[in-house]
Structures are given as structure tokens and as C-alpha cells.
Amino acid sequence: MTRVFSGMQPTGGLHLGNHLGALVNWVRMQDTADVTYCVVDLHAITMGHDPAILADRTLGLAMEFVAAGVDPDRSTLFVQSHLGDVHAEMTWLFSSVTGVGELQKMPQYREKSERVTGKHAQVTAGLLTYPVLQTSDILLYDADEVPVGEDQRHHIEIARDIGGRFNHRYGDVFVLPRAIFPEAAARVMDLQDPTAKMSASADSDKGRINLQDDPDRILKKVRSAQTDSGRDVAYDRADKAGISNLLEVMSAATGRSIDDLVEEYADAGYGTFKGAVAEAVVELLRPMQERHAELAADPGEMQRILADGAAKAREVSAPRLAAAKDAMGFLPA
Ligand code: AMP
Ligand code: TRP
């Protein structure tokens, strides 16, 4: 059976882009693969973080996963720091087969280190070695496939490089993973600026539908979404970016084809169409929000799920770490 691994950082609540671009795939892959999903909290501390909210965000992200349909009985769901011993030790071993130059070349490192430079903040060693920890996450679980966004392309490539180098030097221990990218249609754009991706870090919240937004807020945001001055609802990514984004969102939310939607709404006017899009999004999110409220009312239950997940994850990853140490020739304890 194909093994799948992916993770997200607990940096705040999720939005519709995270759901349609990532979570929907995660949920679907449970049907055909052996899946492991991780809240990668050890990755969330490399640029400074607020200790007062890290734990809540970690638990909250795990709840969003489950509310979206990640099923603890058919997947392994765990928090990275709960296996910090295994992941951190593996990272140390991998760091000895990783070049500093390789890490300095990573686009995400360059971008993030530029962002902190000049703000009297430090470019931390953690920011540089971030991809080595990510390599450990993936390789410790024998992942064949890693569903991620395009921006993670280089991180999966370096995981293959590091794993390949380890295998070459010390013997075949690790499976080399490949990245699985969502289809183009799964890129949800900002409602206020349909040329930019919907993003957690956008200055304004108006262009972003958060998974926990109430129906009223969703309606307001969709109604004020930027559109062109035309009148017909048509699919044209270049000239009608706003309408096209709404068509894609509605198509993803309802399972109806874009052609089908265009046929129904072509002459309906933007107002009517936006009302229908908002309703479709509200209906998509309603069951998830209900499930989320139940989970939030009983955090102990989520803690138990994560404790089970950590135990299952350890059964897979601890033997991989042991095999790596054995291959490298360490004296058994
Ligand atoms: P991030 O919040 O950027 O760490 O992303 C977490 C996951 O959600 C990754 O798999 C991203 O590719 C995906 N994602 C984030 N924003 C969008 C978006 N606007 N459209 C589609 N997928 C997205
Ligand atoms: N770096 C990834 C991101 O920012 C998160 C991540 C950490 C990850 N470890 C992973 C993703 C392992 C996939 C597999 O989105």
C-alpha cells in the first residue's frame, strides 16, 4: 500500500485555500493509502513565536484536520514535538550528510532570512536546517507520496537528495519520496485580489474565507469580492480572474462542473451568482464547523486521539531511526 505523509504548521486558523488545496486531498488519500498527518510544531518556532498560544494553535489545527474529515481510525494523526526525540535525533544524523550550501540555496530560506534581516532579528540555525527536519518527518515514515503545495517543491527534492545520499553511503535504509501537487484548479485566489493566492499572511482578512467564519461573514466577503465591470458569468482566467475564481470555488464546493455552473448563471447577474457561491461555501463548511465545535467542547478527546496517534507514529519511526543508526555503525546501547 502506498504510504503518504504530510504536515502543516500550527500558525493560525485555516482558510478555504488550505481546505480545497490540501485537506480535501488528505482526506481523499485515506481511502487508498496508508496516511500519516502531522502538526509540525517544531517547524513553527524558527522565526520566533508566542509561547502563550503555541499549544492552543497545535490542538486547534489538529481539530481542524479532524473536522475536515481526517479520520483518526484510518490515519495516523500526531504532533511532531510528541516524537521530538525521534525526529530531532534523525535530523542530527541527516545533518551530517547535508551541505550548508545546499540549505543556503533553498528559496524559502532565502526569502525568510531576507525578511528578518534588518529587523534586528536573527536568522536562526533552525531556519537554515528546517528542510533537514522536514526530511526526517518524511523519511522516518517510509513515505512514497507527499501531498504539498508548489512552494514545497524544493523541500521534497532535498529530502530525496539527502535520503539518496544516506542510502548510497550507508546502505538502503530509506524510501525516496515524491511530491504530489494539487491540480491547478485547487489554487484558491484572494477574493479582493484574484491575482494573488488566498493566504494566511495577507494584510486584510476580507479576501480570505476562514474555515471558522460564520455564514454572515462569508456572505459579506463573497458579496464584496472583486469582479470585472462586465455582466456575464463566464470562465476566463485572464480577463475575468475574480469571476473565474468564484466559479472554481463553487465548483469545488458543490462538485458541479464549471461548464454546468456557467450554463446556469451566465445571465443571472453577478449579485445572484455571488449569493449562490456564498451559499455553496456556507453549506460546505457547515458540517465541518459543527464537528469542530464538538471537538472544541471536549479538548480531552482530541488529546487522547493525539496520544494514540503519537504511539502509532512511534511504532513506525523509532525502528527507522534504529535502522539508520545501525547502518551508520553506532555501538548498540
Ligand atoms: P500554508 O498555510 O501556506 O502553510 O499551506 C498549507 C497547505 O495549504 C499547503 O499544502 C498549501 O499548498 C495549501 N494552500 C495554502 N494556500 C492555498 C491556496 N490559496 N490555494 C490552494 N492551496 C493552498
Ligand atoms: N514545510 C511545510 C510547509 O511549510 C510543512 C512540513 C513540515 C511538511 N514537515 C513536512 C510538509 C513533511 C510535508 C511533509 O508547508
Side-chain angles (χ1 to χ4, degrees):
M1 202 160 170
T2 305
R3 284 178 180 267
V4 167
F5 185 99
S6 197
M8 276 191 215
Q9 291 188 41
T11 41
L14 298 184
H15 55 75
L16 193 62
N18 299 130
H19 182 67
L20 297 178
L23 278 183
V24 166
N25 258 336
W26 287 21
V27 171
R28 193 181 304 130
M29 287 173 126
Q30 296 179 125
D31 297 338
T32 53
D34 181 354
V35 304
T36 303
Y37 299 129
C38 184
V39 180
V40 291
D41 54 349
L42 294 173
H43 276 115
I45 61 170
T46 59
M47 311 243 310
H49 74 287
D50 181 354
I53 57 177
L54 180 62
D56 274 353
R57 284 190 163 179
T58 300
L59 196 63
L61 184 56
M63 287 177 187
E64 298 225 69
F65 290 171
V66 175
V70 171
D71 176 357
D73 292 330
R74 292 192 298 144
S75 64
T76 299
L77 174 60
F78 77 104
V79 173
Q80 190 185 31
S81 65
H82 293 175
L83 269 80
D85 53 339
V86 177
H87 287 233
E89 186 172 357
M90 193 65 242
T91 300
W92 177 250
L93 303 182
F94 278 146
S95 72
S96 295
V97 293
T98 307
V100 172
E102 252 178 313
L103 294 173
Q104 285 167 331
K105 260 187 1 210
M106 288 281 115
Q108 191 163 313
Y109 169 72
R110 295 172 70 140
E111 187 232 307
K112 288 190 172 169
S113 53
E114 267 164 37
R115 215 188 298 161
V116 294
T117 310
K119 286 190 183 160
H120 305 288
Q122 256 179 341
V123 178
T124 64
L127 191 62
L128 181 67
T129 56
Y130 180 116
V132 190
L133 178 58
Q134 184 162 351
T135 298
S136 301
D137 297 342
I138 298 167
L139 270 53
L140 280 169
Y141 297 89
D142 288 343
D144 304 293
E145 298 186 348
V146 186
V148 282
E150 271 289 339
D151 61 328
Q152 295 298 308
R153 177 182 294 278
H154 295 95
H155 286 162
I156 312 305
E157 271 166 20
I158 201 175
R160 286 184 67 92
D161 290 347
I162 293 171
R165 206 172 299 143
F166 185 103
N167 286 349
H168 182 71
R169 223 172 265 182
Y170 302 116
D172 252 329
V173 174
F174 293 107
V175 172
L176 304 185
R178 72 181 165 273
I180 303 287
F181 301 112
E183 287 142 40
R187 244 169 88 93
V188 182
M189 310 309 277
D190 188 285
L191 297 181
Q192 291 298 322
D193 174 9
T195 60
K197 246 176 56 163
M198 186 177 286
S199 158
S201 54
D203 293 339
S204 154
D205 184 63
K206 282 195 195 146
R208 176 174 63 234
I209 295 175
N210 303 299
L211 297 187
Q212 302 309 325
D213 280 349
D214 61 38
D216 222 38
R217 240 182 133 66
I218 293 172
L219 186 62
K220 280 205 188 95
K221 285 178 179 176
V222 176
R223 277 209 186 291
S224 62
Q226 197 208 83
T227 49
D228 54 274
S229 58
R231 321 203 54 211
D232 35 315
V233 173
Y235 188 75
D236 179 346
R237 264 264 164 235
D239 287 338
K240 295 176 87 71
I243 289 291
S244 300
N245 185 41
L246 293 179
L247 276 168
E248 285 185 7
V249 164
M250 184 163 178
S251 169
T254 59
R256 294 175 61 186
S257 73
I258 296 210
D259 286 347
D260 191 24
L261 296 173
V262 167
E263 195 168 322
E264 178 170 350
Y265 292 101
D267 307 316
Y270 288 174
T272 305
F273 173 59
K274 284 175 165 178
V277 174
E279 196 184 313
V281 173
V282 167
E283 288 314 315
L284 172 74
L285 299 187
R286 188 193 305 282
M288 286 162 49
Q289 293 183 348
E290 284 168 6
R291 181 85 180 100
H292 188 273
E294 282 166 29
L295 291 163
D298 183 7
E301 168 66 8
M302 194 66 232
Q303 291 272 15
R304 277 190 294 280
I305 291 172
L306 292 173
D308 285 353
K312 274 200 276 178
R314 190 175 289 278
E315 280 173 28
V316 179
S317 55
R320 305 315 290 146
L321 172 63
K325 289 175 77 174
D326 184 50
M328 289 178 89
F330 285 101
L331 176 68

